[in-house]
Amino acid sequence: MKYVNYFIFVLILVIYSCYTNEEETFNGTLRFEIDHHVQGMPIEVDNMIYTNAAGNPYEISEIQWFISDVSLVDAEGQIHILSNSDWIHYIDTDLPETHFWTIMDGVRPGEYEMIRFIFGIKGEKNAPMMFTDPPESNMIWPYFMGGDEGGYHYMKLNGFWIDKESQRSPFNFHIGVGQMYDENARITGFVQNWFEVELPLSSFKMPAGGNVMARIVMNVENWFKGPNNYDHDVFGGSIMANQEAMGQIKANGRDVFSAVIK
Amino acid sequence: MKHIRFYFLIVIIVAGTYLGYLLFIADTDAPDLTRYPVRQLKFFPKKVNMPEFNPLTKEGVLLGRHLFYDGRLSGSEDLDSLKSCATCHIQSKGFGSDIKVLAGKGYPCGFTKNGEGIFGKNLHVTLPLINLLYNSNGYFRNGFIREQNLYETDDLEIGFKYLESIVWISIVSEQVIDSNVKQMLEIIGSDQVYKSLFISAYGNEKITLKRIVLAISQFIRTITASDFKFYHFMEGSVVLSDSEQRGYELFYSERTGCFHCHAGSMTMTTNQYYNNGGDGELQGNCDRAAVTLNPGERGAYRAPSLINCALNAPYMHDGRYSTLEEVIDFYSENIYNSKLADPLLKGLNDGGIHLNKAEKKDLLDFLHTLTDYTMLSDLSYACPEALGRFGIRAR
């Protein structure tokens, strides 16, 4: 049996080496790096050293989130999708290996005006139980709270704040698909809270066969301001069932990200 | 250019053929093993925790099942001194039990860099052996056994990295089986039943501690628990009763937050480490911090899978609660607002989540939908008849 397998292997090698040819692809490689900052500095977890725009002193335990549908817009305004349609990338402040990914030989040479991506996961893609392996599977969103199009949190930002009674209280700044409730607290509908992020300052030139590094920064303090001063004392620590809170977060989210090209 | 490729090809073909030949002759020595199929369960992790040096084979699993139940693992044939894995890991209790073991250095604590242990004087309750294959985030309550470990050990392959090392430690450690290994190998070696089992699993009858360890590890990797009501509900093949449904919605709610730590895949755990507000003052010394040496993780333990939790009393690492009702009362009104408690814990400043009586009952009913009754009497996990009076059978 081993013998036969070996022959097949050698045969495949032969065929493969006949088919790959010298006609090189001149596409460039784009490497992404994700950083999490507060006020321009890399975040320091488990330390009550921050204050948000609403005046809540807070600390961050961890941030876990999804990015998907990354694309580039070229000078003519054309959109170049960089990932397979099922590509969803998980990022976790505790797992450095999730802070990088590379589009190997996948970017056509030329001038690009900006990077775009989806924060979270679009509804039609966010199927329940699609992730069964951790860490992604740990992002599960309750089935009955997200319908069929919201199987996973977009982000879990966990930490503590000093509340109005001067107590250290945990917050689960969690965003995912929202719900609408009737006066009997029954769910009547769902609200998609993912959003598209455009990074206009991320223009760059990709030389033929070049290598470009794009650093995307999540500026954590911006989740809590512009246009809404998000106040933990108003919403409390648990907001998965609070569309008003998640709506504010979604609106604040548009300027949370910035990019640097290296 | 073309020429070079041609010669390169010839070299590859010749080398490949030769290598294939070598593999072919090397293989004829090995026994005829039957692959034991790894179960790919819907909603379970696809990644399995199985080192390449110990793949599952039907023959290995069968041998392992015999050894798992064999009271002579203790190194004695005296009926009063029999002890095996099945002494503490009992099938009718989901391969767990209420038996406690003194936690200490190496079992299951870690080691500090200079080799000094962080000792604990606390007792740890037996962990159930289910779905071990689907956990890649560390074994033992504190996750001491993990693939990243680089400790020097007698067997570098096994290190303190895999289930194999737990099996090894459990056999020799005085807190667990405390086997007289030399005598044990002699006793096992003189049993005709094992002669044929070892020959079919390893090609010859040589009996070593390592072979025993590998075989038991294979057996415990096959123990799966997925035949429970809530699993079938998620598959869409059964409905829950009204109170189970309400309990399910409580379990997966923002108010209780249970699902943040005890769900994800259908193994009903994230296998992550959390301080769940058990203590104000921390006494246990074999916690997560004993492994990571991060003082912020004092009092943190792996969130246990809640599959079969109805069978796994007493609860928590030290068995402080004897019923699920007490556990629910704990989350409802008795949690400690310790500085180290995990932010995912709800009601931290209020002593808990404050469920009313009806809600507690609903949550309890939901926890009861997590019991796999099939595995409790599955004959492929049961004590083999051939062990006779040396087999450790349920009390």
Side-chain angles (χ1 to χ4, degrees):
Chain A
M1 230 10 237
K2 272 255 157 67
Y3 215 39
V4 177
N5 282 345
Y6 225 85
F7 255 108
I8 294 173
F9 173 64
V10 171
L11 207 76
I12 289 172
L13 249 179
V14 170
I15 295 169
Y16 179 74
S17 56
C18 295
Y19 273 87
T20 48
N21 44 36
E22 274 96 281
E23 162 203 319
E24 292 248 326
T25 50
F26 285 95
N27 278 350
T29 292
L30 184 57
R31 188 173 145 81
F32 284 93
E33 181 191 328
I34 298 279
D35 285 334
H36 304 83
H37 285 178
V38 179
Q39 270 120 32
M41 297 291 286
I43 62 164
E44 196 180 321
V45 295
D46 300 333
N47 205 348
M48 189 72 76
I49 49 175
Y50 304 124
T51 304
N52 68 15
N56 310 135
Y58 72 102
E59 72 179 76
I60 298 166
S61 303
E62 68 252 323
I63 309 174
Q64 299 152 333
W65 59 287
F66 285 117
I67 187 171
S68 59
D69 296 337
V70 180
S71 59
L72 299 177
V73 183
D74 68 18
E76 275 84 56
Q78 234 187 328
I79 298 166
H80 302 259
I81 295 167
L82 286 188
S83 49
N84 294 333
S85 57
D86 59 353
W87 185 86
I88 299 167
H89 184 74
Y90 172 79
I91 296 157
D92 190 325
T93 47
D94 287 337
L95 303 174
E97 68 273 20
T98 63
H99 299 188
F100 303 93
W101 74 92
T102 303
I103 310 287
M104 193 65 94
D105 298 333
V107 180
R108 215 159 331 130
E111 305 259 350
Y112 293 96
E113 299 275 85
M114 70 177 164
I115 296 172
R116 301 203 316 184
F117 61 84
I118 298 296
F119 168 77
I121 308 167
K122 280 185 181 166
E124 66 270 20
K125 262 168 90 162
N126 198 357
M129 299 311 275
M130 67 175 163
F131 294 120
T132 51
D133 283 75
E136 288 87 346
S137 61
N138 298 343
M139 296 293 276
I140 192 167
W141 188 264
Y143 182 70
F144 51 86
M145 284 173 76
D148 282 329
E149 302 196 331
Y152 294 85
H153 290 71
Y154 311 143
M155 178 173 77
K156 294 191 207 172
L157 194 175
N158 297 320
F160 296 87
W161 92 100
I162 304 294
D163 67 16
K164 52 181 184 282
E165 272 131 40
S166 306
Q167 295 188 92
R168 183 171 166 274
S169 279
F171 64 76
N172 295 173
F173 192 80
H174 290 187
I175 174 165
V177 73
Q179 317 87 43
M180 289 175 305
Y181 293 87
D182 66 13
E183 59 275 15
N184 300 318
R186 268 195 297 260
I187 293 176
T188 56
F190 297 108
V191 188
Q192 293 292 330
N193 285 318
W194 56 267
F195 55 87
E196 188 160 55
V197 177
E198 297 195 331
L199 301 172
L201 291 180
S202 55
S203 61
F204 68 92
K205 185 169 184 281
M206 174 62 80
N211 227 312
V212 174
M213 158 89 120
R215 201 159 66 105
I216 295 177
V217 180
M218 178 192 279
N219 301 287
V220 178
E221 75 275 16
N222 287 0
W223 284 117
F224 305 113
K225 65 176 189 217
N228 309 295
N229 273 3
Y230 184 97
D231 189 339
H232 290 300
D233 281 328
V234 170
F235 293 117
S238 304
I239 56 164
M240 284 177 64
N242 187 339
Q243 179 54 30
E244 197 194 334
M246 284 193 287
Q248 286 203 5
I249 296 171
K250 178 179 179 175
N252 288 355
R254 288 168 200 279
D255 66 352
V256 157
F257 297 93
S258 56
V260 187
I261 304 295
K262 284 197 254 184
Chain B
M1 205 48 205
K2 281 256 140 67
H3 280 292
I4 293 177
R5 178 161 334 125
F6 182 71
Y7 285 122
F8 184 62
L9 252 178
I10 297 285
V11 170
I12 284 190
I13 290 173
V14 171
T17 317
Y18 182 62
L19 240 164
Y21 175 65
L22 283 184
L23 281 174
F24 182 69
I25 51 172
D27 229 18
T28 49
D29 257 6
D32 215 357
L33 294 172
T34 334
R35 212 171 59 89
Y36 186 104
V38 170
R39 285 177 75 187
Q40 275 296 345
L41 293 159
K42 199 174 173 186
F43 307 143
F44 267 48
K46 292 187 189 64
K47 187 171 173 207
V48 293
N49 193 340
M50 183 165 69
E52 265 167 34
F53 61 80
N54 196 18
L56 295 184
T57 66
K58 288 219 163 100
E59 295 77 7
V61 170
L62 182 66
L63 170 60
R65 176 152 72 94
H66 280 76
L67 293 161
F68 181 91
Y69 282 99
D70 197 327
R72 293 168 297 178
L73 272 190
S74 61
S76 164
E77 284 180 297
D78 171 12
L79 292 186
D80 290 331
S81 313
L82 298 182
K83 203 170 185 189
S84 82
C85 314
T87 305
C88 300
H89 298 285
I90 302 171
Q91 183 178 12
S92 60
K93 298 189 173 155
F95 286 102
S97 71
D98 55 4
I99 297 170
K100 296 176 188 174
V101 162
L102 191 64
K105 179 171 135 186
Y107 186 94
C109 285
F111 302 97
T112 54
K113 281 212 181 67
N114 49 18
E116 286 296 305
I118 307 168
F119 286 89
K121 288 249 188 304
N122 52 324
L123 293 162
H124 277 200
V125 184
T126 303
L127 270 168
L129 306 182
I130 52 164
N131 301 330
L132 294 169
L133 199 52
Y134 307 100
N135 172 13
S136 300
N137 201 38
Y139 295 111
F140 278 151
R141 293 184 179 275
N142 57 16
F144 170 44
I145 303 299
R146 49 185 182 163
E147 220 176 323
Q148 304 91 302
N149 281 344
L150 295 171
Y151 297 105
E152 298 268 332
T153 56
D154 293 346
D155 191 304
L156 287 178
E157 198 172 45
I158 293 178
F160 281 105
K161 298 177 181 173
Y162 304 107
L163 275 184
E164 279 75 0
S165 84
I166 298 189
V167 180
W168 195 305
I169 305 169
S170 301
I171 293 173
V172 299
S173 167
E174 59 183 85
Q175 295 118 292
V176 194
I177 294 184
D178 195 13
S179 177
N180 181 330
V181 174
K182 196 163 157 273
Q183 248 168 263
M184 187 261 285
L185 293 176
E186 270 167 28
I187 294 171
I188 302 279
S190 62
D191 187 326
Q192 285 306 317
V193 175
Y194 280 112
K195 256 195 191 122
S196 62
L197 286 170
F198 272 86
I199 291 174
S200 55
Y202 294 110
N204 58 47
E205 55 183 77
K206 203 170 114 206
I207 293 175
T208 62
L209 181 55
K210 177 153 183 185
R211 283 183 169 186
I212 289 174
V213 163
L214 295 180
I216 296 179
S217 306
Q218 286 191 37
F219 169 63
I220 59 178
R221 282 198 178 94
T222 66
I223 305 173
T224 44
S226 66
D227 189 11
F228 52 94
K229 189 171 182 183
F230 181 57
Y231 183 94
H232 298 305
F233 167 78
M234 291 300 281
E235 278 184 324
S237 57
V238 299
V239 288
L240 300 178
S241 74
D242 288 349
S243 74
E244 288 165 353
Q245 175 76 29
R246 288 192 299 269
Y248 155 56
E249 291 183 15
L250 269 173
F251 187 88
Y252 281 85
S253 71
E254 183 73 323
R255 186 167 151 227
T256 69
C258 314
F259 80 101
H260 279 131
C261 305
H262 293 290
S265 80
M266 283 303 281
T267 56
M268 301 312 288
T269 176
T270 59
N271 279 319
Q272 303 262 30
Y273 301 83
Y274 312 94
N275 179 321
N276 69 338
D279 298 296
E281 257 167 67
L282 297 167
Q283 256 127 41
N285 278 325
C286 278
D287 53 10
R288 183 64 175 162
V291 172
T292 61
L293 306 180
N294 170 5
E297 293 183 283
R298 293 281 283 119
Y301 297 89
R302 183 151 53 89
S305 163
L306 296 188
I307 296 176
N308 289 339
C309 66
L311 307 166
N312 287 335
Y315 300 100
M316 307 299 169
H317 67 283
D318 51 3
R320 61 181 66 188
Y321 301 121
S322 30
T323 61
L324 280 178
E325 284 86 341
E326 287 176 30
V327 174
I328 292 174
D329 286 345
F330 156 71
Y331 283 113
S332 183
E333 44 265 339
N334 295 326
I335 59 172
Y336 285 91
N337 186 359
S338 119
K339 249 196 123 74
L340 296 174
D342 198 275
L344 289 171
L345 210 59
K346 303 291 178 183
L348 203 51
N349 281 330
D350 306 322
I353 50 178
H354 298 286
L355 302 169
N356 65 34
K357 229 173 140 187
E359 288 167 333
K360 286 182 181 177
K361 166 83 169 53
D362 292 340
L363 195 52
L364 182 68
D365 286 352
F366 171 70
L367 294 179
H368 278 279
T369 67
L370 304 176
T371 307
D372 177 343
Y373 294 99
T374 315
M375 67 155 296
L376 305 180
S377 52
D378 186 333
L379 287 180
S380 63
Y381 303 146
C383 181
E385 286 304 322
L387 291 180
R389 62 208 160 101
F390 298 121
I392 305 277
R393 294 184 177 80
R395 293 166 294 172

